[in-house]
Amino acid sequence: MNRDLPRGKGTVDAQAPLAAGGPFALEVRHLSKSFAGKTVLRDFTLSLRPGEIHVLLGANGSGKSTLIKALAGYHEPDAGAWVSVGGMELPFGSPSTSYRLGCRFVHQDLGLIQSMSALDNIFLTSGFPTKGGAVDRREARRQARAALDRIGLDIDLTSVVSSFGPAEQTALAIARALLAHGGPPPSLLVLDEPTASLPGHEVQTLLDTLRTTAAAGVAIVYVTHHLDEIPAFAHRVSVLREGRLIDTWDADAVDRQELVTHLIGSELVAELVGAKEAQAQRRVDNHTEPILSVRGVRFRQLVDLTLDVWPGEIVGMYGLTGSGREDALAVIFGSKSRDGGTVRAHGHDLPPGRPIESIRKAIGYLPADRKVLSGIMDMSARQNMTLVNVRPFWRWGLLRSKPELSEVAKWFTNLGIRPADGESAPLSTFSGGNQQKVLLAKWLRQEPQVLLLDEPTQGVDVGAKVEVHRQVQHAAQAGTAVVVSSTDVEELAAICTKVLIIRNGRVVDELVGPRVTVPEINRSFHAEAPMDELVVNNAQVDS
Amino acid sequence: MRKSIPNLGMDRFSGIYLGILFILIFTIATPLFLTESTFHVIASSQAVAGMIAIAVLIPMICGQFDLSVGANANFAGLVAVVLLNDGWSFLAAFLASVALGLFVGFVNGFIVVRLKVSSFIATLGVSSILTALAVIVTESIVPPPPSSQAWTKMTQFEVGGFQIIIVYLFVLALLVWWMLEWTPAGRYLRAIGGNTEASRLAGVHVDRWAWISLVLAGGISGLGGVLYTSLTGPSFTFGATLLLPAFAAVFLGSTQLQPGRFNVWGTLIAIFVLAIGVQGLQLLSSVLWLSAMFNGVALIAAVALAVNRTSRANPRPSRLRLNQTDEDAVINAASGTVGQEGSKQPAV
């Protein structure tokens, strides 16, 4: 989670005094929301000044999405709530009114069309300015340029979106959201986990964009799971837990540990610490044969991926998106077909591009993209979990649901999946963290000898993250070789016995034992980073 | 498999209620309606429609369209007649025609899986080729009905007033229901239909199952075609009239019993409710355009219903997949982006 990467300008003005006086950009009083008698948000009260960056923290299910939906006009809150935006009262339950009063929302899923130009995307939803019935390209370009300037983004408007980096794409979505469309200028921007899938240096670029945006007088509500984004960025921080606003702090008056404790409760914090200690005591016997052996594998950016993994090891892979790291596990498993090199699992060569063969060799793979590659959203959690192997439940010509249910229930208990009796509910009804637990259990029940995890805790809440880490360590103790590919340095430092640094398509460094720490990983990563790469990163920050 | 516990819920049994409503209305409207023969006619005339709908259903579950079912049925029926007239024994002609249907399904599968042509296009093309082949095989003359006793007995033998063909339909439905709901095959087909890539990464033989589903659809179509021809005599055109009601029934069926899932019994309910509607209207008025009009409207209404149902159960911002769903990301539309339905459920 540590994004301790080169910082550009803007770290200072984050602490600049806020505009005092005048109407609040957002004022929420006594907002509660119940579904079918169950209160998911309780008496929420908060005020934001124009230009304030307010970080909102909360585990999945803490009520933050309900709050956002209420502001956006998708939920009608319980009676007694009062909300004003830019000094004007917000009537509930009308998305278009919410938009007109100046509330804007940008989601993790940006809603950009990758194959269209930046300009087309900006006007896609609002309609192009026209002259005599035809699109007025010049006026469109002028408006778009103004919108980009406001947030300090300098990109080529005619390039297609897919050619931009993730941070630029997010910034583009922000610029689009902030278009005024003839109404009052937007006063509130809500971002829901915008950095969940961004690599470290891209995060800083985005945070800079947001600072510029806030400096122009827009209040920002920023939802994140990444606590280390708070210092030098946010003005204030609020924590939601179980539908209640626990408290609001000035960002520089609260430390990380305190926030974690408020977020997940002190029990889980203790466990997080314990896991790290247990890992330090584990030793791996490197004298036997490696269970997974990868030699000279080539695929897109990967030019020569070579690594060995022994039973009981947890090997981390760290590298920017674009270093080839993001494809490494998919290529090893065979979900993407490699262009060259060999992959051997306990002595057997694996053919390229054949996931089935890998599964037969007791390899499991949890892809990074839960919704597209991993979960079958409209099937039940149970069927998702047992899909890899339903044979044990197949007797006398029937798939028996009783043994299947009891096995799935066991995993539900084991991983603390909520709701606890949701075995037969569609996967789509679970929260992100619980979906990930279901999909992890899908592989754990195979008792794999090699477990490949791609960004296993991306976009999941802190509680689920702890659980995933605990399960991974548990599996490793039982002899499974685990490979974790992640952009989350803290995650790697917390669970790995060895971390491989990947750059330009190959493993450039290997950190073992006491060197598996956040500062060491970052140091190794930067020490060998070629100068031009750093220059490129800084150039992005400055633009 | 969710068990469908009978209750009065309109969400699951609306089709049955609609059927009862039809029966009541037509009973009041015309004395011709509520007679034994009406139901005998509906049962036998819809038995093959039901089989073709089941043929459509299987590949549909794993996300493949089979538009060739009608042409396939028609072709298989004509071939059976031609073979019988050529002096083949009943059994040989029957088996050969059904095998031909399976082979057509195999070819569909080859085009879809190996040549990677979308099933929509592939089966549309094959359908046209089959129509051409039917003309070639028969030398463009409708062949005379075969004289074989077994040939007509096969479908017209009566059990308690009903022609036996309806029994075949229920045996087939039972088998397919068992396969879809109680075997790993059904599980895999649904998984592939839900998310093909995720299924592949979970070790499901995605291509193999898509292929098998098309082969099964072909075989069932061939069987249905042979039975239809035995029942009503050889013709060049019956296949085309079966296709649309089959799709209507499959989609309408997905709003019944297990809403949001294509399922066998829902499909059969839909077939018979639609048939009761058509039959009743035809008794009231003898215009020729009625059943085509009724089936067209029913197909569109069925798909609209099914789509609304699934989007409520599983909110998906856009059918065009401009964006992936996220349980937290609900409000793309608030920033004015793509059309979207708000989730009615609180995050778990």
Side-chain angles (χ1 to χ4, degrees):
Chain A
M1 264 200 275
N2 193 311
R3 313 258 170 162
D4 203 2
L5 287 155
R7 289 235 162 99
K9 60 163 190 183
T11 46
V12 185
D13 50 321
Q15 311 297 334
L18 297 169
F24 286 108
L26 172 71
E27 199 175 356
V28 182
R29 288 189 210 151
H30 310 300
L31 186 81
S32 299
K33 176 70 190 167
S34 316
F35 292 98
K38 195 181 151 226
T39 308
V40 294
L41 189 63
R42 214 180 284 268
D43 199 18
F44 184 90
T45 297
L46 185 70
S47 309
L48 266 71
R49 295 266 177 213
E52 171 170 356
I53 300 179
H54 196 105
V55 168
L56 185 60
L57 299 170
N60 291 341
S62 61
K64 57 186 184 341
S65 34
T66 307
L67 172 67
I68 294 173
K69 287 174 207 173
L71 292 179
Y74 280 94
H75 284 335
E76 197 139 342
D78 301 346
W82 185 87
V83 174
S84 84
V85 178
M88 285 170 290
E89 184 173 348
L90 177 77
F92 296 114
S94 161
S96 59
T97 314
S98 164
Y99 184 85
R100 212 173 52 241
L101 289 183
C103 295
R104 299 298 150 85
F105 301 84
V106 171
H107 295 277
Q108 205 176 324
D109 160 30
L110 303 170
L112 297 175
I113 297 180
Q114 295 285 328
S115 59
M116 289 172 78
S117 73
L119 188 68
D120 287 343
N121 266 285
I122 287 177
F123 292 103
L124 183 67
T125 51
S126 58
F128 275 91
T130 54
K131 199 159 73 179
V135 170
D136 185 350
R137 303 292 294 192
R138 183 175 302 177
E139 173 62 13
R141 213 162 288 150
R142 196 192 59 74
Q143 287 184 14
R145 186 52 66 192
L148 295 183
D149 283 347
R150 189 141 20 112
I151 64 165
L153 182 67
D154 182 21
I155 54 171
D156 179 11
L157 281 169
T158 56
S159 301
V160 293
V161 167
S162 56
S163 69
F164 298 132
E168 284 172 331
Q169 294 192 11
T170 311
L172 180 64
I174 293 170
R176 175 170 76 177
L178 292 177
L179 280 180
H181 300 311
S187 48
L188 175 69
L189 175 65
V190 179
L191 294 117
D192 197 356
E193 289 188 52
T195 55
S197 53
L198 299 194
H201 69 289
E202 297 266 346
V203 170
Q204 285 307 323
T205 312
L206 181 66
L207 296 188
D208 284 341
T209 303
L210 291 175
R211 284 187 198 103
T212 314
T213 309
V218 179
I220 296 180
V221 173
Y222 184 92
V223 175
T224 186
H225 291 314
H226 292 289
L227 304 181
D228 40 46
E229 287 168 5
I230 296 167
F233 169 62
H235 297 106
R236 291 196 296 160
V237 187
S238 292
V239 171
L240 267 175
R241 195 169 90 211
E242 287 156 16
R244 289 175 195 280
L245 179 63
I246 300 297
D247 207 348
T248 298
W249 298 265
D250 284 335
D252 48 9
V254 62
D255 69 9
R256 182 196 168 82
Q257 201 53 48
E258 199 177 335
L259 287 175
V260 172
T261 315
H262 286 301
L263 264 171
I264 61 175
S266 42
E267 264 171 53
L268 279 171
V269 173
E271 190 149 358
L272 200 64
V273 175
K276 171 76 177 157
E277 282 164 3
Q279 169 253 316
Q281 290 165 0
R282 192 170 335 113
R283 311 178 75 181
V284 177
D285 181 10
N286 277 17
H287 300 296
T288 54
E289 279 288 289
I291 189 150
L292 178 72
S293 181
V294 178
R295 291 283 170 274
V297 160
R298 286 182 285 118
F299 179 77
R300 291 195 199 146
Q301 286 99 336
L302 285 173
V303 289
D304 172 19
L305 183 70
T306 295
L307 58 98
D308 289 311
V309 188
W310 278 267
E313 266 192 319
I314 304 179
V315 176
M317 280 186 183
Y318 183 67
L320 295 180
T321 303
S323 64
R325 178 204 51 83
E326 69 276 17
D327 290 326
L329 296 185
V331 172
I332 294 173
F333 181 69
S335 82
K336 293 175 181 167
S337 188
R338 62 180 184 264
D339 299 328
T342 59
V343 177
R344 290 171 73 80
H346 38 98
H348 301 276
D349 274 317
L350 292 179
R354 298 286 307 278
I356 294 168
E357 293 304 318
S358 302
I359 292 169
R360 286 198 182 126
K361 296 286 176 299
I363 301 179
Y365 169 54
L366 189 63
D369 196 331
R370 195 161 57 231
K371 277 161 197 122
V372 177
L373 298 178
S374 193
I376 298 164
M377 289 299 154
D378 52 9
M379 273 176 89
S380 66
R382 159 164 66 117
Q383 296 185 350
N384 268 281
M385 207 184 276
T386 59
L387 182 63
V388 183
N389 183 11
V390 291
R391 233 169 292 136
F393 320 121
W394 170 243
R395 271 198 328 131
W396 304 108
L398 294 177
L399 271 182
R400 309 274 164 176
S401 57
K402 242 187 212 161
E404 186 180 14
L405 257 179
S406 74
E407 183 176 337
V408 170
K410 197 186 77 191
W411 286 105
F412 263 61
T413 322
N414 225 335
L415 276 77
I417 298 170
R418 292 287 174 276
D421 58 352
E423 294 97 339
S424 297
L427 192 63
S428 57
T429 62
F430 288 77
S431 72
N434 283 307
Q435 287 176 1
Q436 191 71 345
K437 288 192 217 168
V438 169
L439 297 168
L440 179 64
K442 158 166 113 177
W443 293 111
L444 291 176
R445 78 177 268 275
Q446 293 297 107
E447 296 177 352
Q449 291 178 323
V450 179
L451 189 55
L452 309 171
L453 307 172
D454 220 337
E455 301 282 11
T457 60
Q458 189 173 75
V460 311
D461 64 85
V462 184
K465 188 170 180 169
V466 171
E467 186 57 48
V468 168
H469 288 173
R470 183 166 68 179
Q471 292 296 332
V472 167
Q473 290 176 319
H474 194 76
Q477 272 156 20
T480 303
V482 184
V483 186
V484 183
S485 167
S486 179
T487 47
D488 184 342
V489 184
E490 290 209 348
E491 168 166 274
L492 296 175
I495 61 173
C496 292
T497 50
K498 181 160 94 183
V499 172
L500 308 174
I501 307 290
I502 301 204
R503 185 169 25 254
N504 297 332
R506 59 185 89 228
V507 176
V508 293
D509 196 7
E510 184 177 309
L511 308 175
V512 213
R515 289 188 69 205
V516 182
T517 61
V518 173
E520 278 287 324
I521 295 172
N522 276 324
R523 209 177 56 78
S524 162
F525 179 74
H526 291 296
E528 298 185 36
M531 285 312 288
D532 56 340
E533 190 175 315
L534 288 174
V535 171
V536 169
N537 289 347
N538 283 325
Q540 280 177 349
V541 169
D542 287 337
S543 61
Chain B
M1 268 131 292
R2 223 166 301 142
K3 275 189 198 128
S4 40
I5 304 152
N7 62 21
L8 289 176
M10 283 302 287
D11 56 334
R12 292 177 172 187
F13 300 105
S14 51
I16 293 175
Y17 293 136
L18 186 65
I20 294 171
L21 190 69
F22 276 159
I23 293 173
L24 285 178
I25 291 172
F26 293 129
T27 306
I28 295 165
T30 162
L32 298 173
F33 183 78
L34 198 65
T35 61
E36 240 177 78
S37 76
T38 304
F39 290 94
H40 291 165
V41 168
I42 289 175
S44 65
S45 70
Q46 293 310 306
V48 172
M51 290 185 199
I52 300 299
I54 287 172
V56 168
L57 172 76
I58 297 172
M60 194 65 106
I61 283 177
C62 73
Q64 306 289 349
F65 281 84
D66 189 346
L67 300 177
S68 70
V69 287
N72 192 354
N74 209 333
F75 184 56
L78 285 171
V79 167
V81 172
V82 168
L83 291 178
L84 281 169
N85 291 344
D86 269 8
W88 286 43
S89 77
F90 163 74
L91 195 66
F94 176 82
L95 290 179
S97 317
V98 174
L100 188 66
L102 285 168
F103 178 72
V104 171
F106 181 84
V107 172
N108 281 333
F110 178 82
I111 299 173
V112 170
V113 170
R114 286 276 180 267
L115 306 185
K116 305 205 186 304
V117 176
S118 91
S119 59
F120 204 91
I121 300 297
T123 56
L124 200 58
V126 165
S127 174
S128 180
I129 293 169
L130 288 172
T131 310
L133 286 176
V135 175
I136 295 172
V137 168
T138 56
E139 291 157 345
S140 76
I141 300 160
V142 180
S147 50
S148 154
Q149 280 277 315
W151 171 252
T152 42
K153 269 229 170 112
M154 171 168 71
T155 50
Q156 293 171 22
F157 177 77
E158 290 193 3
V159 206
F162 287 94
Q163 287 172 322
I164 187 143
I165 188 165
I166 191 76
V167 177
Y168 300 157
L169 171 65
F170 282 103
V171 172
L172 178 73
L174 211 60
L175 280 172
V176 173
W177 171 73
W178 166 74
M179 182 190 85
L180 292 178
E181 306 294 339
W182 295 100
T183 69
R187 193 66 75 82
Y188 297 145
L189 289 175
R190 288 206 193 275
I192 295 166
N195 185 339
T196 310
E197 189 58 12
S199 304
R200 188 175 80 90
L201 297 190
V204 177
H205 292 270
V206 169
D207 285 347
R208 187 184 297 174
W209 286 111
W211 199 326
I212 289 174
S213 76
L214 288 167
V215 170
L216 287 176
I220 295 172
S221 309
L223 174 70
V226 173
L227 295 179
Y228 191 92
T229 312
S230 148
L231 189 70
T232 63
S235 129
F236 275 119
T237 53
F238 77 85
T241 64
L242 288 173
L243 184 63
L244 207 63
F247 273 89
V250 167
F251 278 102
L252 202 56
S254 77
T255 65
Q256 300 297 312
L257 305 182
Q258 300 171 309
R261 285 160 58 103
F262 293 117
N263 67 86
V264 173
W265 302 118
T267 302
L268 289 195
I269 289 176
I271 276 282
F272 284 105
V273 170
L274 290 178
I276 292 170
V278 171
Q279 186 72 20
L281 287 171
Q282 272 172 345
L283 287 175
L284 287 179
S285 151
S286 57
V287 288
L288 289 171
W289 47 263
L290 242 168
S291 85
M293 175 70 83
F294 191 85
N295 281 325
V297 171
L299 175 64
I300 294 168
V303 175
L305 261 174
V307 167
N308 282 328
R309 179 86 67 179
T310 20
S311 58
R312 234 179 303 152
N314 182 19
R316 187 169 288 176
S318 163
R319 304 242 320 133
L320 299 174
R321 295 194 179 226
L322 295 180
N323 31 16
Q324 311 302 332
T325 23
D326 186 310
E327 75 286 356
D328 271 358
V330 190
I331 325 141
N332 300 310
S335 53
T337 38
V338 208
Q340 120 131 40
E341 307 90 343
S343 163
K344 297 279 188 294
Q345 286 157 318
V348 179

